[in-house]
Amino acid sequence: MGARRRLDPALGIPLHEQLKQLLRSEILEGRLRPGDRLPTEAELCARYGISRAPVRQALEDLAREGLILRQRGRGTFVAPRNGGASRPLVLRVVISHPRWRIPLDLAVARWNQLHPDQPMELAVEQVPFLQLRGALMEAVGNGEAPDLSLLDSAWLAEFVALRYLRAVGEIDPAWETQALAALMPGPRSAWVFEGHLYGIPISMDVSVLWVRRDLLEAEGLRPPTTWEDLLRVGAHFRQPEVRRRYGLGPYPLAMVAGRTGGETTTYQTLPFLWSNGGELVSGGWVLLDQPATYETLAFLRALIWEHQLMPPEVTAFHREQAALWLAEGRVVMAVGGTYEADLIRQAAGWDEATFLERLMVLPIPAGPHGRPAGLMGGMAFGIYRQSRHPERALALLRQTVEREPLRAFARMTGRHPPWIHALSDLAGERGGFLARTQRWVEQGRPRPSIPAYARVSEEWQALVEDVLLGRRPLEAAVPRAAERIAALTGYMLPESHLFPH
């Protein structure tokens, strides 16, 4: 076998899945050839420092996929490749993290089981998430786009406008109609552009307020549902004796609120504007320069400087830092997303029961002129116009959203499935994280579906950072940002902005 690789429990992927992917790569890339004997279960346990149960599960899964043969008394061997009948069709895939390979591998196994005469394999490239959008744009520009890739819903309108992606209806109109009926309303609106579905959604999430349920209950406090509640809870946990009692840091609240956080800043702070009845853009208008915006940004600034509930450093936080502060016990509340559940649980070293006992999630609290809100995001697999095998790519992706694979992926990763059939199954598991948080995800709002969204989001991030750090007064920063967004989008500014009284 090739060079030894460590299995990492912190990845959030079961050890048997990691071992299975490692062995599969050894086989598909030719380092283990047909007829080669694999190490014994005991040897694999020693090699990777894991127990026998995940080793046995990985080998059983590979045997079901037809990649290995287990012969009693002789050992485990790499299976002949398709009996020599046909060579597999290879699909090029780009993802950001090993977790996104799980549904694809399940789909490939299912496809090859159902279609042994038309086998498929994956050639997977992994690009860090923060670099993924740029890497995909560069690949398309060079004429080297993959057959399919992972996509963030934030990029959809831009990629469609640039004609990077194929609509599902271009490949299979009948299935597109079925898919649109089977998707939850939020994901359907997020992934439909000009009447067509682009990409096959695999997960959905929503921005939330993470709260230490156990500490609030111990102090006899109600969870915050309004900005006023947030200040009340924060002020309580600012008290030195309360902080000492629980080993908390000097600030009770964390969020990602600057340019460094990138899209995560928008994901976490834009819902505060929505929760106060404000809007960024809507219906061809730039609506930023409105009283709700000034009030929202003044509130976020006051959380730092007046109420001292969070530090100025939040403007330089990276995308996971607020969640990690919560996991480390430094804060009692953190703005984040439902997709961070596994990150928090593992960073805190909690088992599932402890995680559910200690934490709760709430929508972003309501401002004086609105109601609780959340930004709904999610990930999908998109098929490129440069794809060499678009029909096969779609056939594979259809397998990823079948009931069992989708439900298994949701349970493994803690990501909400965006398909009605899978959500209805998980809703019955009342004690789990997915069931507890499903209603908040369903109530989330998607991002504005505009081709220039990425640039608009960057303007919002800059506005938030500049106001929170006092680089520009609100009265100058908001109109400036509104005008820049109007220039980027071609949207109109209200007359009240053009002719202020």
Side-chain angles (χ1 to χ4, degrees):
M1 294 180 67
R4 182 181 305 186
R5 286 170 47 188
R6 299 288 299 174
L7 304 186
D8 185 359
L11 280 178
I13 298 174
L15 292 175
H16 77 270
E17 282 290 335
Q18 294 188 47
L19 179 59
K20 181 174 67 174
Q21 291 176 17
L22 188 152
L23 294 175
R24 181 190 286 109
S25 296
E26 296 277 350
I27 294 169
L28 296 182
E29 294 169 12
R31 292 190 292 276
L32 283 171
R33 295 173 296 179
D36 283 355
R37 182 171 180 168
L38 270 68
T40 65
E41 289 184 4
E43 289 169 338
L44 289 170
C45 290
R47 181 186 294 266
Y48 297 108
I50 58 177
S51 67
R52 191 174 292 264
V55 169
R56 183 173 294 131
Q57 181 67 58
L59 295 177
E60 288 174 357
D61 289 351
L62 291 172
R64 278 197 298 272
E65 294 176 18
L67 289 176
I68 63 174
L69 299 173
R70 309 195 74 185
Q71 300 179 5
R72 188 178 297 275
R74 294 192 61 232
T76 303
F77 300 85
V78 179
R81 303 300 289 274
N82 309 306
S86 59
R87 297 182 60 185
L89 180 144
V90 178
L91 292 177
R92 292 180 55 233
V93 181
V94 178
I95 58 175
S96 63
H97 187 281
R99 74 170 66 90
W100 302 111
R101 183 164 181 163
I102 295 172
L104 297 175
D105 284 337
L106 292 171
V108 167
R110 177 65 173 160
W111 173 271
N112 290 343
Q113 183 181 40
L114 295 173
H115 306 279
D117 57 331
Q118 303 175 59
M120 279 197 271
E121 291 181 3
L122 302 178
V124 179
E125 179 184 357
Q126 187 173 312
V127 177
F129 180 77
L130 293 179
Q131 301 170 24
L132 183 58
R133 173 174 165 267
L136 292 170
M137 297 180 79
E138 182 178 359
V140 174
N142 293 334
E144 300 172 350
D147 292 300
L148 60 98
S149 81
L150 188 72
L151 295 172
D152 190 309
S153 58
W155 312 334
L156 179 71
E158 178 184 22
F159 278 31
V160 171
L162 292 170
R163 294 187 57 79
Y164 287 178
L165 303 174
R166 283 183 179 267
V168 171
E170 293 179 52
I171 306 169
D172 190 337
W175 193 76
E176 181 184 54
T177 300
Q178 296 173 26
L180 289 173
L183 278 167
M184 294 294 295
R188 185 167 60 237
S189 62
W191 292 100
V192 169
F193 196 79
E194 297 180 346
H196 286 286
L197 178 65
Y198 287 85
I200 308 301
I202 195 68
S203 74
M204 63 180 182
D205 51 70
V206 71
S207 49
V208 293
L209 179 68
W210 291 99
V211 178
R212 281 293 299 268
R213 177 209 306 270
D214 56 338
L215 301 191
L216 263 67
E217 289 178 351
E219 294 297 306
L221 297 174
R222 291 179 289 105
T225 59
T226 66
W227 290 3
E228 187 176 331
D229 291 342
L230 191 66
L231 296 178
R232 172 180 52 81
V233 172
H236 182 86
F237 283 97
R238 274 275 297 158
Q239 299 176 81
E241 65 273 17
V242 178
R243 298 206 316 265
R244 285 194 297 270
R245 187 152 55 237
Y246 302 110
L248 296 167
Y251 301 98
L253 175 66
M255 69 175 68
V256 179
R259 293 174 175 88
T260 301
E263 182 59 26
T264 303
T265 290
T266 303
Y267 182 81
Q268 295 189 12
T269 59
L270 183 58
F272 279 92
L273 178 62
W274 291 346
S275 77
N276 198 33
E279 295 288 346
L280 187 58
V281 295
S282 181
W285 293 88
V286 178
L287 301 177
L288 185 64
D289 192 2
Q290 300 291 335
T293 305
Y294 291 86
E295 190 171 25
T296 300
L297 292 172
F299 173 74
L300 293 177
R301 184 175 61 190
L303 289 175
I304 296 175
W305 302 108
E306 180 181 343
H307 305 291
Q308 298 185 339
L309 300 189
M310 60 184 187
E313 289 77 17
V314 297
T315 56
F317 273 14
H318 61 72
R319 61 194 299 261
E320 295 179 342
Q321 198 159 345
L324 292 174
W325 272 32
L326 181 72
E328 293 164 3
R330 299 176 67 170
V331 296
V332 73
M333 298 178 290
V335 182
T338 51
Y339 66 87
E340 294 172 319
D342 269 0
L343 170 69
I344 294 170
R345 181 177 57 79
Q346 291 171 26
W350 296 333
D351 58 24
E352 186 70 12
T354 303
F355 170 78
L356 293 172
E357 176 186 321
R358 295 189 178 179
L359 284 184
M360 66 184 303
V361 295
L362 299 167
I364 302 304
H369 308 294
R371 58 184 182 179
L375 190 158
M376 191 213 71
M379 307 300 287
F381 293 113
I383 301 173
Y384 287 79
R385 291 191 177 279
Q386 294 177 5
S387 169
R388 298 164 302 165
H389 311 289
E391 292 81 10
R392 281 290 197 93
L394 180 59
L396 177 68
L397 293 179
R398 289 179 59 175
Q399 296 289 334
T400 67
V401 297
E402 291 291 326
R403 195 177 217 107
E404 283 303 321
L406 194 62
R407 189 166 55 187
F409 175 68
R411 288 198 184 105
M412 286 179 193
T413 61
R415 306 274 175 138
H416 288 267
W419 300 82
I420 294 171
H421 55 267
L423 268 180
S424 62
D425 291 343
L426 293 168
E429 302 174 1
R430 298 186 181 279
F433 174 77
L434 293 174
R436 288 187 183 187
T437 54
Q438 179 175 327
R439 61 174 173 157
W440 305 134
V441 178
E442 292 175 3
Q443 293 172 15
R445 286 180 50 181
R447 298 168 170 89
S449 183
I450 54 176
Y453 172 78
R455 298 283 303 281
V456 171
S457 179
E458 289 170 358
E459 291 298 326
W460 171 258
Q461 295 157 30
L463 172 63
V464 170
E465 179 179 319
D466 289 347
V467 169
L468 265 56
L469 292 180
R471 292 189 184 128
R472 287 190 177 89
L474 263 173
E475 295 72 18
V478 174
R480 177 179 181 274
E483 290 164 4
R484 290 174 65 87
I485 290 172
L488 289 169
T489 60
Y491 286 4
M492 298 290 291
L493 289 163
E495 287 188 7
S496 59
H497 176 95
L498 298 174
F499 304 104
H501 296 289

